[in-house]
Amino acid sequence: MRWLVGWSSAAVGAAGIAGAAGSAGATGYDGETVQPVGSQLLWGDPDPLWAVGDWRPDEVRVVTADPQTRIAVLGICGASDEQLRVGLFAARGGALRHLTAWPGSYTAVVQVGRRITICGDLAGARPVFHAPWAGGTAYATAALPLADLVEANLDFGHLAALLAAPDVPAALDDSTPYDGVKRVPPGHALILRAGSREVAGYEPVASLAVAAPAADPDRAVDAVRDALVEAVRTRLAAPRHVPGDGIDPGPVPGMGPAERRAARGMPVPGIGADLSGGPASGTLALLAAGLPGMPGTVLGHGTGAGERLLAVTFNDLAVGGQEAEVARAGALAANPRLHHVVVTGGEETLPYGVLDGPLTDEPGSSLIAAARHRARLAAGSADHFTGYGARQVLDAHPARLADLLMDRKRRHLVRPVAAMAKADGSVLVPARVYAAARRLARTPYRTGLEVLSERLLRRRFDEPGDGATDASLAVLTWAGPGPAARWLTGEALAEVSVRLQTSSQRSGVGPGQRPGDFRARAALARLAADVRVLEQAAEIRFQRLHTPFLDNQV
C-alpha cells in the first residue's frame, strides 16, 4: 500500500537541525528520533512530510515557490506544474477549492510557512487521518500507521456504530476504529498551524433555506460526460508501467505466459478494466479503449494482445444467476479494441472462505469476499479501471423525493413513483411513497436523529422488505438502522444511541442540506470507505485500481 505521513509541532528542536542537513525526524515520547520505515522524504523540518510505500515516480510531484511555500501532490493528477503553481498561490491566500478541481485522484498537501493544509477528496476514497502526538499533530492518509504510532486502543463505540448505523454520519462522526485517531470528513481539509489543528470545509453544499438554481439537464449531462472522459484520459496519459522487472523467468511445463504471471501474483503490464456486464464497468472499458492513444498491454509483455485493452469478467461458477451479465459482457467484448479474459471462481472464492488477509484501516463488507476480488484483480492490468461508485454518483437517492416536495416540484414525482409501482405491481405504492416523502420533508434533521436513537435504544427494527418499494421506503428518513443492528447487544446499541443524542444536541439546526442530498452524500461516503477497504484487502502488488466515478470532478 501507499500513504503519506507527516507531523506538525509547536517546538523546533534538534530535529530541525537534522532537517537542515537534508533529513528529518521527530522526537518521540522516550526522546528517540522517529522516522517512517521505507519512506521517501518530500520536505524536512520543522513540519516534515514523507511518502511511504511503493509510489511510482510519476505519482509524486513537489512544486516549490520558495523554501517555505510548496505543494506536494500524490496520486494521479492531470494538472501541469504551472497549474500546481497557480493553485499554490491561491491556497496561500486561503482558497482551497482550486486544489481539488483538477482531474484525477490525488491528495494535495500545501505548506505556507508553518501552516500545513491537507485536502481530502469529496467522496472520501482518499481519506486523511490525524492524531495528537509528541506535543503536536501527526497526520496520514491511512489510519493504521497512526494507530501504531500513538499506540491506540480499539474504539468499540465506533465499531458498534459501524454496524448499527453505517450510513449515518452523525453516529460515526470523525472517529475511527482506533481511539484518538480522527478522520477528516469528505469535502474537508486538515489545517495545521505549529501543531494546532483545524478542520475546514471547502465544498459548498445546497442550502436548506432556498432552492438550488435549476440546471439545464442537457448541459448537466454533458458536464458529467466531459468530466468522466477527462478522468479516463488523465490516466491514459500517465506513463505505462511494467510490474516488477517485467522479465518472464522462462517456460514452465503446462503453463503459458499468462499462467506464469498469475502464479507469481503479478498483473499484466499496461491498462485494463473490469467488464462485469453492467453499465458502469462497460462504459469505462469502452471509453478507455476508444479514446485516442495506446490503451492496453505493453507490446512484448503479458498476453501478447498488443495494444488492446484487457477486459476482465469474473464468472462465479459457485453462484448462479449471473448468466445474463456474463452474456452482456461477452457482447461488449466483441469490440475489436478489447482483449476479453474470463476468470472463473469456484469454492475457493466463496464468501467467508478466506479471512486471514492483510489488515485494513477498518472492517468492511469487502473482507468476506476478498478472495473473489483478488482472483479477479490478479488477472487484471497494472492500471485497472473499476466502476465502483457509479450508482451512488449518477443515480438519484430515494430520499430525493422529499427534496422535490420541499422545492414544490410535485409533478417530478410522477415518473419515479410510477416506475416503483410498475416494479411492485401494486396500486398502493404511490400513496405509500408520497406519504413517506411528505413526512421526511416535514421532519427536522435533529428529530430524525432522535427517532433513530430511540429505535436503537428500544430495539425497534422493521422487518426487511423484499421489493424495490420497501427498500426505498426504508431509506426515506434522515437516518436509519443498519442491517446488522438487530444482532448487537443492548449495551452496544445504547452506546450508539448516546452518540446520536450527543450529535443531535451539538448539531443544532442540522446539516444545512436537503434530506435527499444529505443521504446521497452519506451513501457515497460509505461506498468510498468500502472501496478503500477493498483496495487494502485485495491488493495485488504493483497494481493500481482506478475509480474515475469517485474523482472530485465527476
Side-chain angles (χ1 to χ4, degrees), residues 254-320:
M255 295 179 67
E259 287 80 9
R260 294 198 298 271
R261 173 200 51 76
R264 299 197 309 273
M266 302 179 72
V268 174
I271 295 180
D274 280 344
L275 190 62
S276 65
S281 62
T283 296
L284 291 179
L286 294 177
L287 185 59
L291 285 176
M294 300 292 280
T297 57
V298 179
L299 284 171
H301 296 278
T303 63
E307 292 293 342
R308 287 189 290 166
L309 187 85
L310 178 65
V312 179
T313 299
F314 187 85
N315 183 14
D316 196 341
L317 300 180
V319 179

Side-chain angles (χ1 to χ4, degrees), residues 131-384:
W133 183 76
T137 299
Y139 61 90
T141 52
L144 271 173
L146 286 187
D148 182 55
L149 177 67
V150 302
E151 300 179 356
N153 295 317
L154 287 178
D155 185 347
F156 294 103
H158 175 89
L159 295 174
L162 201 59
L163 292 172
D167 294 324
V168 183
L172 301 174
D173 198 21
D174 62 349
S175 63
T176 68
Y178 314 103
D179 192 20
V181 179
K182 302 300 182 182
R183 177 173 181 149
V184 177
H188 288 68
L190 175 65
I191 303 174
L192 305 174
R193 294 180 177 88
S196 64
R197 55 192 171 275
E198 172 192 357
V199 175
Y202 61 78
E203 178 69 9
V205 296
S207 172
L208 193 62
V210 296
D216 179 68
D218 293 335
R219 294 182 61 184
V221 170
D222 290 344
V224 173
R225 180 200 61 206
D226 293 344
L228 187 61
V229 169
E230 192 61 32
V232 174
R233 182 181 286 118
T234 297
R235 289 161 171 87
L236 292 178
R240 298 290 191 270
H241 292 272
V242 177
D245 54 17
I247 300 175
D248 194 328
V252 176
M255 295 179 67
E259 287 80 9
R260 294 198 298 271
R261 173 200 51 76
R264 299 197 309 273
M266 302 179 72
V268 174
I271 295 180
D274 280 344
L275 190 62
S276 65
S281 62
T283 296
L284 291 179
L286 294 177
L287 185 59
L291 285 176
M294 300 292 280
T297 57
V298 179
L299 284 171
H301 296 278
T303 63
E307 292 293 342
R308 287 189 290 166
L309 187 85
L310 178 65
V312 179
T313 299
F314 187 85
N315 183 14
D316 196 341
L317 300 180
V319 179
Q322 297 183 330
E323 293 79 8
E325 290 187 0
V326 174
R328 284 196 300 270
L332 290 170
N335 189 303
R337 285 177 172 260
L338 298 180
H339 172 62
H340 195 207
V341 172
V342 178
V343 179
T344 56
E347 294 182 356
E348 72 281 358
T349 61
L350 285 174
Y352 299 99
V354 179
L355 296 177
D356 58 349
L359 291 176
T360 59
D361 278 341
E362 67 177 17
S365 58
S366 303
L367 296 178
I368 64 174
R372 172 193 177 110
H373 296 302
R374 199 174 294 115
R376 168 175 57 88
L377 296 175
S381 299
D383 289 278
H384 198 73

Side-chain angles (χ1 to χ4, degrees), residues 9 126 193 210 220 248 258 264 292 323 325 330 414 441 467 500 503 506 508 530:
S9 175
R126 300 182 69 90
R193 294 180 177 88
V210 296
D248 194 328
R264 299 197 309 273
E323 293 79 8
E325 290 187 0
V414 174
L500 291 169
S503 178
R506 184 174 61 247
D530 288 341

